[in-house]
Amino acid sequence: MKTRVLGIEGTAWNLSAAVVDNDDVISEVTETYQPETGGIHPREAAQHHAKYASTVIQQLLEDIKNKGIDPKNLDAIAFSQGPGLGPCLRTVATAARMLSLTLDIPIIGVNHCIAHIEVGKWKTPAKDPVVLYVSGANSQVLAYRKGKYRVFGETLDVGIGNALDKFARSAGLPHPGGPRIEGHAKRSINYIPLPYIVKGMDFSFSGLTTAAKDALKFASMEDVCYSFQETAFAMMVEVTERALAHTGKNEVLLAGGVGANMRLREMLDIMCDERGASFYVPEKRFMGDNGAMIAYLGLLMYKSDSIAGIENSHVNSNFRPDAVDVTWI
Ligand code: ATP
Ligand code: FE2
């Protein structure tokens, strides 16, 4: 018998539910929140998730029924327990608890960051990689060691995606800013010096964001976008390379929405090439927030008996990946 798990993601802008088995995604339904102005408003995003949760889940259940799977025969319901925006997390957890009780199936809270990592390992040949996880709110370099995903380096302030989005907003570019900045950056090779901040194994982006904003007063959008990317990405590639050297691992996996950026991929690829390491990037649909990654981590936890029960299904907006005991490796 195949194990099948339903997973619900909704830590920020994307509400997405999926059913997976050991081999593949059986079905996925997604409903994305788009802010009318500015960035994500946590309460509005949560209201969006509350409004669409039942339709998304119903559509998903209909779809698996059409594929011959009775929802009662699912093995577990997984959901993003954190990190993320509090109001969004609570909405999704409530939906997951209801579904778990209605179908009488165990509930499994999963760590969103680790879900990004495990889906990447599932959908690429990576086995034991150093992971660069770069999204809106998070920027971390992680690797597995002795029962946990250890954080080797991370941002001391905002995530790289939020830094890009914030700079873009101040430059009058629409949200999300990351892809816009990439577009402008492609049209320049003129580097303007900006603050490169790596402290030990950690990095920081807020000084860079402010300096880039100021640079727009005397330099072109193209040059500033180019220089912003070159600086921020070089900081993260440096830390990733040092994590490779330190751990002795020979694979790098890129995860998270900012991983869509082709220049970041190119820089990591060059670094890996020079060190004789392999570089892996999953398909784009598995990089940004998605329900399949939550379902898949739920499946790994279910199979390794990591089921906490409904009494332990509280959310944690600062849930760290290195707080999780990895029972499935
Ligand atoms: P998390 O909850 O893990 O922090 P998230 O809600 O921020 O995730 P993701 O989909 O992982 O969602 O990442 C979204 C971020 O990715 C946004 O900040 C967006 O600007 C950025 N992004 C998307 N495409 C690109 C790109 N091509 N270049 C740079 N940044 C990008
Ligand atoms: Fe994410």
Side-chain angles (χ1 to χ4, degrees), residues 131-212:
V131 183
L132 176 61
Y133 165 42
V134 280
S135 66
N138 301 289
S139 300
Q140 288 174 327
V141 176
L142 313 106
Y144 177 79
R145 185 185 262 178
K146 292 188 185 152
K148 292 208 165 153
Y149 278 105
R150 316 277 167 180
V151 178
F152 286 85
E154 63 189 316
T155 180
L156 296 168
D157 40 50
V158 294
I160 176 64
N162 286 353
L164 288 162
D165 295 342
K166 194 172 165 206
F167 164 70
R169 225 173 13 256
S170 71
L173 303 172
H175 185 87
R180 309 282 174 157
I181 291 172
E182 181 174 24
H184 285 291
K186 277 191 192 131
R187 291 192 288 278
S188 167
I189 46 160
N190 183 28
Y191 185 75
I192 300 159
L194 291 172
Y196 181 102
I197 304 165
V198 175
K199 291 180 185 161
M201 286 288 278
D202 298 323
F203 31 82
S204 141
F205 298 117
S206 61
L208 170 61
T209 311
T210 311

Side-chain angles (χ1 to χ4, degrees), residues 211-270:
K213 212 167 101 183
D214 289 344
L216 277 177
K217 290 177 195 141
F218 59 85
S220 72
M221 180 77 91
E222 286 75 14
D223 290 353
V224 178
C225 288
Y226 171 74
S227 307
F228 191 116
Q229 283 198 168
E230 294 300 302
T231 310
F233 296 169
M235 283 156 49
M236 298 189 296
V237 173
E238 180 195 326
V239 173
T240 308
E241 179 169 21
R242 281 160 53 198
L244 269 179
H246 180 74
T247 58
K249 297 190 195 282
N250 57 12
E251 300 172 323
V252 170
L253 174 71
L254 181 59
V258 181
N261 190 288
M262 297 311 284
R263 178 57 183 150
L264 176 58
R265 293 181 186 195
E266 183 183 39
M267 288 167 78
L268 286 165
D269 201 32
I270 292 168

Side-chain angles (χ1 to χ4, degrees), residues 81-84 110-114 138-142 148-155 202 316-325:
Q81 207 164 11
V110 315
N111 180 283
H112 176 95
C113 311
I114 296 182
N138 301 289
S139 300
Q140 288 174 327
V141 176
L142 313 106
K148 292 208 165 153
Y149 278 105
R150 316 277 167 180
V151 178
F152 286 85
E154 63 189 316
T155 180
D202 298 323
N316 177 357
S317 56
N318 297 312
F319 194 7
R320 287 186 60 85
D322 47 7
V324 177
D325 286 321

Side-chain angles (χ1 to χ4, degrees), residues 9 11-13 83 112-113 116 133-138 256-257 287-290 293:
E9 157 61 26
T11 54
W13 54 276
H112 176 95
C113 311
H116 274 290
Y133 165 42
V134 280
S135 66
N138 301 289
M287 298 212 84
D289 294 347
N290 63 90
M293 70 184 195

